[in-house]
Amino acid sequence: QVQLVESGGGLVQPGGSLRLSCAASGSIFSIYAMAWYRQAPGKQRELVATITSGGTRNYVDSVKGRFTISRDNAKNTVYLQMNSLKAEDTAVYYCNKGFGERWNWGQGTQVTVSS
């Protein structure tokens, strides 16, 4: 079973930046589309960004132009660079497969945007 470990979250002021990382173990990482998701308090988990095995990227409208998803297949790691952060970006961020049956969810990493 694949294990996912997210890191890089924290407290940041509006307009600030963070880079999230997600390390995956136990599978052939490179063949899967990967994604970042987030769950804000009292809300359902939502898809934020995806990157296919070939590097094609897609984003939810609310983060377009501010977030960038990338991957390093040699390190089995997917990243999320988040710039111009807003209060509404506050959530727990998770990574997982972009499509199909998801692996077990990791613990996520908390991102709090507040002054």
Side-chain angles (χ1 to χ4, degrees):
Q1 180 59 263
V2 173
Q3 292 185 331
L4 300 166
V5 180
E6 300 92 349
S7 62
L11 173 63
V12 63
Q13 292 186 344
S17 298
L18 284 173
R19 188 192 193 208
L20 307 184
S21 299
C22 171
S25 63
S27 184
I28 307 174
F29 174 85
S30 63
I31 69 172
Y32 295 108
M34 294 296 296
W36 282 95
Y37 304 80
R38 66 186 178 187
Q39 186 167 19
K43 295 186 177 181
Q44 290 188 336
R45 187 175 290 159
E46 67 166 342
L47 178 66
V48 175
T50 60
I51 184 167
T52 67
S53 58
T56 300
R57 300 172 172 87
N58 283 287
Y59 303 91
V60 67
D61 285 347
S62 60
V63 308
K64 283 181 180 177
R66 301 188 298 120
F67 290 12
T68 302
I69 188 171
S70 61
R71 65 191 297 162
D72 185 337
N73 290 334
K75 296 182 178 179
N76 277 14
T77 301
V78 60
Y79 304 96
L80 187 67
Q81 177 66 44
M82 305 187 296
N83 299 327
S84 302
L85 282 161
K86 305 176 181 180
E88 51 263 43
D89 296 319
T90 295
V92 180
Y93 284 71
Y94 304 86
C95 71
N96 212 313
K97 291 165 62 180
F99 307 99
E101 185 176 354
R102 305 305 193 267
W103 295 315
N104 290 340
W105 295 91
Q107 83 288 350
T109 186
Q110 174 71 48
V111 171
T112 302
V113 184
S114 174
S115 55

